[in-house]
Amino acid sequence: MILMNAVEEQYKKEIPVFSIGDTVRVHVKVIEGDKERVQAFEGYVIARKGGGIRETFTVRKISYGVGVERIFPLHSPIIQSIQLVKRGDVRKAKLYYIRYKKGKDTKIKEKAREQR
Amino acid sequence: MRAIIGKKIGMTQVFLEQGTIVPVTVIEAGPCCVVQVKTLERDGYEALKLGFIEVQKERRVNKPQRGVFAKAGVKPYKVLREFKIAGKKVGEFVTVDDFKAGDKVKVSGISKGKGFQGVMKRHNYKGGPGSHGSMFNRAPGSIGQSSFPSRVFKNKGLPGHMGCERVTVSNLSVVGVKSEQNLILVEGAVPGPTGNIVEIKAE
């Protein structure tokens, strides 16, 4: 546990609860020259991997007909905020199969209601 | 020169401001008590003997050692190491505050034991093809010439025991220092398993 304490301040304090299949909007800091601006990347969360400070999540979106995936370290300082857009109803922990689907099959059903 | 004794806690990662991930080794270093000061007049060279990790039960220290600690007026320590540093008196402590982020350090320790290993792992020989009927897979091949010199040259790399030896990794940079927890974060890997005693030196 002392290992965790060593990089304690690197952990993000507030991370919204989101899981596989959810649609999220990730606000990413982009540095252009000496200017800094915030860019949004919205898509399905198709994987969450790793634990602790190493945890990452993969967001997939379709941009101009081309599938784009971005892997974000969950605790990365370039992520300004993560916004939960929609909850998805899925049965798998990794949605890699969605890459090979076309049309209607690429859609993820929205969760009817919260089960807590 | 600055030096300290530490214990390897393990590896993790830290983020830099731009989001770059740096792999770091966490080392719990010090506080190390100065147990003895070696002087030019008395010992022929100048150095400090540092102690690290207090002994919990004094009966675990043998009697001659106990006498050494009692004479110096310090608590008994498990680990003793000598460094060519100066400027401290007996009973004073060396702490991680001597180091700061951006320093280049050398880290020495006993590497992980690998047991009896062949030449490919131990000496980076190339070996032979893995398939297509090859029977020369991981063998060292020829180890010398013929009737002259009729012997194998010294230092020829052959299979044998690997690891479990003192290894120094130089030019590692310090990523961060946490003085309240006595921790040093060093970029990259350092020798040995978790819990290994390592020596950290900086110019």
Side-chain angles (χ1 to χ4, degrees):
Chain A
M1 277 302 106
I2 191 164
L3 189 58
M4 263 187 82
N5 298 341
V7 289
E8 194 170 41
E9 75 281 352
Q10 298 259 325
Y11 283 91
K12 278 217 168 96
K13 300 282 177 299
E14 287 164 13
I15 292 168
V17 179
F18 66 94
S19 57
I20 314 302
D22 294 352
T23 307
V24 291
R25 186 179 290 138
V26 186
H27 296 275
V28 193
K29 281 184 210 159
V30 184
I31 294 166
E32 283 169 342
D34 49 354
K35 269 190 276 180
E36 198 185 90
R37 65 188 182 84
V38 175
Q39 207 173 46
F41 191 92
E42 186 177 332
Y44 292 137
V45 178
I46 63 165
R48 266 181 95 148
K49 277 182 160 186
I53 195 84
R54 284 181 55 86
E55 185 166 356
T56 60
F57 63 101
T58 307
V59 181
R60 180 183 172 84
K61 73 167 180 184
I62 307 291
S63 175
Y64 300 104
V66 183
V68 179
E69 279 177 22
R70 242 186 116 167
I71 303 167
F72 296 102
L74 191 62
H75 297 279
S76 173
I78 67 158
I79 296 180
Q80 204 180 46
S81 63
I82 304 166
Q83 197 183 336
L84 184 67
V85 181
K86 247 190 273 178
R87 290 223 171 259
D89 190 7
V90 291
R91 294 179 168 203
K92 303 232 180 291
K94 303 280 187 286
L95 306 181
Y96 298 140
Y97 70 88
I98 220 160
R99 293 168 182 165
Y100 312 108
K101 298 288 182 192
K102 277 181 185 167
K104 209 174 159 186
D105 291 347
T106 59
K107 292 271 179 291
I108 293 174
K109 214 161 66 180
E110 198 175 344
K111 218 169 215 173
R113 61 187 149 82
E114 289 299 308
Q115 288 163 349
R116 287 274 165 95
Chain B
M1 176 151 152
R2 295 156 287 157
I4 200 166
I5 314 169
K7 187 176 154 191
K8 180 171 165 179
I9 302 292
M11 286 194 76
T12 181
Q13 64 183 32
V14 295
F15 291 99
L16 300 186
E17 218 174 291
Q18 280 90 37
T20 319
I21 291 168
V22 182
V24 294
T25 306
V26 182
I27 301 170
E28 189 183 8
C32 296
C33 183
V34 179
V35 176
Q36 192 186 358
V37 178
K38 303 236 168 175
T39 57
L40 209 57
E41 302 82 58
R42 204 183 120 92
D43 309 286
Y45 63 101
E46 282 190 344
L48 294 184
K49 195 197 266 180
L50 302 183
F52 180 53
I53 307 178
E54 272 179 36
V55 178
Q56 297 299 322
K57 290 172 182 163
E58 204 168 303
R59 62 182 158 84
R60 300 231 166 112
V61 186
N62 65 26
K63 229 172 187 178
Q65 274 293 315
R66 228 181 287 170
V68 170
F69 288 117
K71 197 177 171 190
V74 296
K75 286 176 178 160
Y77 290 93
K78 270 185 195 167
V79 183
L80 292 173
R81 290 282 178 339
E82 217 174 274
F83 298 98
K84 289 200 168 176
I85 49 178
K88 295 259 185 205
K89 293 192 190 75
V90 171
E92 287 184 336
F93 284 87
V94 176
T95 62
V96 287
D97 295 329
D98 290 357
F99 297 85
K100 60 179 191 306
D103 283 356
K104 293 281 182 195
V105 293
K106 279 181 183 175
V107 181
S108 315
I110 305 292
S111 65
K112 277 184 185 174
K114 307 285 182 194
F116 193 100
Q117 291 298 333
V119 287
M120 283 178 70
K121 192 180 174 83
R122 193 169 181 232
H123 299 295
N124 299 321
Y125 283 20
K126 199 158 186 181
S131 59
H132 293 294
S134 166
M135 297 201 286
F136 177 57
N137 298 332
R138 297 182 65 90
S142 165
I143 58 166
Q145 299 77 32
S146 186
S147 54
F148 178 76
S150 280
R151 64 190 174 90
V152 175
F153 287 124
K154 269 189 177 176
N155 302 324
K156 177 73 200 156
L158 287 173
H161 185 266
M162 187 185 168
C164 217
E165 57 182 359
R166 187 183 162 88
V167 173
T168 304
V169 185
S170 25
N171 221 18
L172 297 175
S173 47
V174 175
V175 176
V177 174
K178 311 214 160 167
S179 36
E180 72 278 7
Q181 289 171 292
N182 293 316
L183 296 178
I184 297 185
L185 308 183
V186 174
E187 181 174 0
V190 307
T194 297
N196 199 29
I197 298 296
V198 292
E199 296 162 25
I200 306 167
K201 286 183 199 167
E203 291 306 320

